[in-house]
Amino acid sequence: MTLAAATNEHLANISNVLIYSSMAVYTLAFFAYIAEWLFGSRSKVARTAAALTAEPKAANAPAVTVTQAGGTAVLERPKVTVRSAAGSRDVPDGPGAHGGDAQGDLYGRIAISLTVLAFLVEFAGVLTRALSVQRAPWGNMYEFNITFSTVAVGVYLGLLALKKNVRWLGLFLITTVLLDLGLAVTVLYTASDQLVPALHSYWLYIHVSTAIFCGATFYVGAVATIMYLFKDAYENKLATGGKPGTFARSVLERLPSSSSLDKFSYRINAAVFPLWTFTIIAGAIWAGDAWGRYWGWDPKETWSFITWVAYACYLHARATAGWKGRKAAYLALLAFACWLFNYYGVNLFVTGKHSYAGV
């Protein structure tokens, strides 16, 4: 074995250690997020709503009694608006799981700190993997997975750095990132190796990097969409006089309003859609250089186009009055399901020109 080969193998081993180390730190962050949700109080909006809508102890008890000029005055019990109407700010967004509770907020800050540490360790693992193969670290599904999860966490931390109210996203994001990394190291792992000649192109850096970023951002939008569906169902139940269970109240009252969740997922998907369009165009140009044709309806190309159409339908539906809300949310999840199948399903179960990278 030459010195260069030994060095590359050593770097690959270091990369594996770093990826496993990041999983350990993500696990600690996961438990910190759990502690934040368990010990953190409900949001100020939720606590105020609960106090205002509490049933009086006696049937003839006044709704609200205030002292004024040495006497008392009885006010009507205020009606609490749970659902935030589109285009209005009648219900401000709750601050998330860390609610106004010092203990819960402490666990939340610990969780964010551990998430940052795990992100840096995982990023180092991806970078070391790139050094071990002396190329971009996304030549197979294992490398794509570890890079994908790194970018997804990076998007989340970037939104936090921009002072966006997305701390509620942490627990759900880190849970699925751990599942993604577990799948990568157990099922999809591939030893460091060089690429086939067709992949030796600067388009590898352009096309695949944008595909990873788009997928990671679409994923963040999908998580927000799922949370929107739960929160919307919760608000609908309250609006119709229903009484959600204790667990539902404890979790869902700490999330932003369904209107805000809907707008967040829409803006995320709308912002990255033009880049997904560029990804498909860049792939077509690369195909022209590598195979002498720009488009051949290869399974990967076909499902990339289907994903594009699905997200285009979602964005169009979101702008149509009759398709806002839950209907548009279902379209968004369908579009992300197309993206997932394009990656996992096509790569694992369908034979095509994009199968040369192996697992």
Side-chain angles (χ1 to χ4, degrees), residues 6-338:
T7 301
N8 291 340
E9 183 178 356
H10 180 64
L11 289 172
N13 292 334
I14 293 176
S15 173
N16 295 338
V17 171
L18 289 171
I19 294 300
Y20 277 103
S21 299
S22 71
M23 292 177 66
V25 182
Y26 277 131
T27 302
L28 294 177
F30 168 79
F31 285 115
Y33 282 116
I34 290 290
E36 179 187 17
W37 283 88
L38 288 177
F39 299 111
S41 65
R42 293 183 297 176
S43 70
K44 293 178 180 178
V45 173
R47 293 198 303 273
T48 302
L52 292 175
T53 56
E55 292 295 332
K57 294 182 179 180
N60 58 352
V64 179
T65 303
V66 296
T67 302
Q68 185 177 21
T72 59
V74 178
L75 304 179
E76 292 294 332
R77 183 175 298 279
K79 180 181 179 182
V80 177
T81 304
V82 178
R83 179 186 297 275
S84 177
S88 72
R89 301 295 296 177
D90 50 352
V91 175
D93 289 337
H98 53 295
D101 180 90
Q103 185 181 23
D105 189 59
L106 173 62
Y107 286 115
R109 286 185 279 114
I110 292 174
I112 295 298
S113 299
L114 289 171
T115 302
V116 172
L117 176 60
F119 167 77
L120 295 175
V121 174
E122 187 182 10
F123 178 79
V126 173
L127 180 61
T128 309
R129 175 78 176 198
L131 294 175
S132 71
V133 292
Q134 300 179 2
R135 57 169 172 78
W138 41 73
N140 51 59
M141 289 186 69
Y142 168 74
E143 295 173 355
F144 192 102
N145 262 47
I146 61 176
T147 307
F148 170 82
S149 59
T150 304
V151 175
V153 176
V155 170
Y156 167 63
L157 295 177
L159 291 172
L160 285 177
L162 294 173
K163 306 298 183 182
K164 302 299 182 181
N165 177 28
V166 294
R167 189 152 144 184
W168 51 268
L169 190 65
L171 175 61
F172 313 103
L173 177 69
I174 297 306
T175 301
T176 48
V177 164
L178 280 170
L179 293 174
D180 176 76
L181 289 176
L183 179 66
V185 300
T186 57
V187 178
L188 303 178
Y189 180 77
T190 304
S192 299
D193 199 3
Q194 293 302 313
L195 300 175
V196 297
L199 288 178
H200 286 285
S201 171
Y202 60 89
W203 284 106
L204 174 68
Y205 295 89
I206 300 173
H207 171 63
V208 183
S209 63
T210 54
I212 292 173
F213 180 79
C214 289
T217 309
F218 282 145
Y219 164 68
V220 172
V223 173
T225 301
I226 293 173
M227 292 301 100
Y228 157 75
L229 291 173
F230 279 106
K231 187 62 182 277
D232 183 66
Y234 174 79
E235 292 180 355
N236 283 333
K237 191 169 187 177
L238 288 178
T240 56
K243 294 184 178 180
T246 303
F247 179 78
R249 291 198 306 270
S250 177
V251 173
L252 296 176
E253 285 184 351
R254 301 176 188 180
L255 294 175
S257 66
S258 63
S259 176
S260 293
L261 290 171
D262 184 37
K263 286 185 288 187
F264 173 78
S265 59
Y266 167 69
R267 289 169 180 172
I268 285 287
N269 290 324
V272 79
F273 180 74
L275 190 59
W276 180 247
T277 305
F278 169 78
T279 301
I280 296 177
I281 295 173
I285 296 174
W286 187 10
D289 291 341
W291 302 318
R293 52 89 175 148
Y294 292 102
W295 195 268
W297 297 106
D298 180 75
K300 178 71 70 173
E301 298 169 348
T302 301
W303 276 96
S304 295
F305 178 69
I306 291 174
T307 303
W308 185 91
V309 172
Y311 273 109
C313 290
Y314 160 71
L315 295 176
H316 176 72
R318 187 61 177 69
T320 304
W323 277 85
K324 287 184 179 179
R326 298 184 71 87
K327 291 181 180 179
Y330 291 138
L331 276 179
L333 292 181
L334 176 63
F336 185 68
C338 291

